[in-house]
Amino acid sequence: MARLNWGMIGGGEGSQIGPAHRLGAGLDGAFSFVAGALDHRPEAGREYGQRLGLAANRAYGDWREMLDGEKGREDRVDLVTVATPNATHFEITKAFLENGFHVLCEKPMTMTVEEGEEIVRISRETGNICAVNYGYTGYSLVRHMKAMVARGDLGKIRLVKAEFAHGHHADAADADNPRVRWRYDPAQAGVSAQFADCGIHALHMASFVTGQEVKRLSADTVSCISSRELEDDAMVNFRMDGGAVGRLWTSSVAIGRQHGLTLQIFGEKGGLRWSQEQPNQLYWMPLNGRLEIIERGEGGLSPEADRTSRVTIGHAEGMPLAFANIYTDLAEAIQARKSGRTMDPAADLYPRAEDGLRSMAAVFAVADSGKREGVWVDARPPMFR
């Protein structure tokens, strides 16, 4: 099967997320990296793009130049990844969708619920894919959790407990560090800091695995470092549309925690526990049974897990490979559209614009509830109520 053409906006030299996307997109040979506008400084972006192997005429100075350059080409990019600062996601994603491109946007997809609803409408009206990079859902055993829930291994889901807590912003002396400061500045980050940055990953994963969406929530938010305007810790209780109860803790001041993304699912017939820092093991406790450790790569797993596991059992698969699974999902979706066939259902798991919209609605709901001392609020975007 011929490779698809891929381009990237943002993710330039020194970027935290750019290398993970380039590794993920190229890992399985589904995409060729052919175009990019990689830096807010045009010449730096052009120079870095050429060092990465882009042709001089496709190493663009900015995203508008890239849009103009690509939309008229017969070999134009099939997928554009948007990995720019948060406030620019909406404008860039909207422009490329409206010009016939498929888009993978970093989270948060937009800065407001209204922008999110517009992206959903554009994606639906044009038929162009808008995916959102909730990349941790690409882990093989997270997909196996989803499959176990879907086939009824746990019975009716009663309770979900999600965490994304780290301690890397716990030093009050970092108040003037520009890499930290912007995250807690409403002018740059919006209405939420820690929940919008990390909490929505945990919340999306809870929905992804259970197949249920969040309806209502109550939030306790706090700035443990008093100089911060936005929260650095939040505890969120939520109710899901399939009846599950949810608890979510997210923090950036939990000293001793590193990454801290964990998910536990408890049903009538058993419970599951997974941690991103030990992604090769899934703990399964059947009701009245004995604790089992499911290993990534072992025999007898679900098609969703098998499809997303590359190396033999006992060898770690990390975050770039989880990102790669999002890219292989998208490659399968795009190739299926090109050939007019139905895509592999085991690959039909990439996060959609609808997921990005729900996350943004949850961000505003958490901010609202937190300001009103935990009052329960509707967490759904208006178009889904």
Side-chain angles (χ1 to χ4, degrees), residues 223-245:
S223 298
C224 292
I225 294 178
S226 60
S227 62
R228 291 173 174 164
E229 292 187 61
L230 298 176
E231 87 288 349
D232 50 27
D233 189 277
M235 183 68 75
V236 182
N237 294 313
F238 57 92
R239 300 289 188 271
M240 308 186 85
D241 58 9
V245 174

Side-chain angles (χ1 to χ4, degrees), residues 86-289:
N86 296 354
T88 66
H89 289 178
F90 169 71
E91 181 182 22
I92 299 171
T93 297
K94 178 177 184 289
F96 275 85
L97 287 173
E98 289 178 334
N99 281 277
F101 296 88
H102 302 301
V103 177
L104 171 61
C105 183
E106 263 300 331
K107 46 67 59 181
M109 182 178 74
T110 61
M111 294 294 286
T112 69
V113 175
E114 293 76 15
E115 289 175 348
E117 291 188 332
E118 185 171 354
I119 292 296
V120 168
R121 283 192 290 267
I122 293 168
S123 179
R124 290 176 175 181
E125 290 169 3
T126 62
N128 297 320
I129 293 169
C130 180
V132 183
N133 190 42
Y134 291 107
Y136 303 114
T137 61
Y139 278 101
S140 176
L141 290 181
V142 171
R143 296 189 168 196
H144 188 62
M145 292 174 79
K146 180 179 179 67
M148 290 180 69
V149 170
R151 70 193 185 195
D153 292 6
L154 283 76
K156 181 177 175 61
I157 302 304
R158 293 170 170 166
L159 177 65
V160 180
K161 185 171 185 291
E163 296 182 357
F164 198 155
H166 65 83
H168 299 299
H169 300 162
D171 189 348
D174 273 340
D176 292 323
N177 181 340
R179 294 178 65 88
V180 175
R181 184 180 60 224
W182 75 268
R183 299 174 185 273
Y184 304 94
D185 178 4
Q188 299 181 72
V191 298
S192 171
Q194 179 59 19
F195 184 80
D197 189 26
C198 295
I200 57 173
H201 275 296
L203 194 69
H204 175 262
M205 188 174 286
S207 291
F208 178 80
V209 170
T210 63
Q212 300 184 33
E213 301 298 341
V214 177
K215 290 180 64 178
R216 301 168 60 243
L217 61 77
S218 167
D220 179 18
T221 60
V222 63
S223 298
C224 292
I225 294 178
S226 60
S227 62
R228 291 173 174 164
E229 292 187 61
L230 298 176
E231 87 288 349
D232 50 27
D233 189 277
M235 183 68 75
V236 182
N237 294 313
F238 57 92
R239 300 289 188 271
M240 308 186 85
D241 58 9
V245 174
R247 317 290 188 208
L248 186 153
W249 172 48
T250 186
S251 183
S252 64
V253 295
I255 298 173
R257 296 278 294 240
Q258 296 303 322
H259 190 265
L261 176 59
T262 63
L263 183 67
Q264 297 179 81
I265 309 290
F266 304 102
E268 295 173 323
K269 298 192 294 186
L272 291 167
R273 173 168 54 91
W274 180 86
S275 171
Q276 193 265 345
E277 292 179 49
Q278 291 83 38
N280 271 19
Q281 288 81 40
L282 172 62
Y283 293 85
W284 161 236
M285 183 73 178
L287 180 67
N288 300 321

Side-chain angles (χ1 to χ4, degrees), residues 9 37 60 62-73 76-77 80 91-92 94-101:
I9 303 169
Y60 298 102
D62 61 44
W63 69 266
R64 291 181 177 85
E65 183 182 304
M66 179 169 164
L67 178 60
D68 289 341
E70 290 296 311
K71 65 185 181 183
R73 297 181 66 105
R76 68 191 227 162
V77 293
V80 176
E91 181 182 22
I92 299 171
K94 178 177 184 289
F96 275 85
L97 287 173
E98 289 178 334
N99 281 277
F101 296 88

Side-chain angles (χ1 to χ4, degrees), residues 30 36 40 46 84 118 140-141 159 162 176-177 255 278 289-291 300 307 316 319 343 368 370 374:
H40 68 281
R46 292 189 183 99
T84 54
E118 185 171 354
S140 176
L141 290 181
L159 177 65
D176 292 323
N177 181 340
I255 298 173
Q278 291 83 38
R290 301 184 66 177
L291 181 65
R307 184 182 180 277
M319 183 262 280
M343 72 177 295
D368 179 28

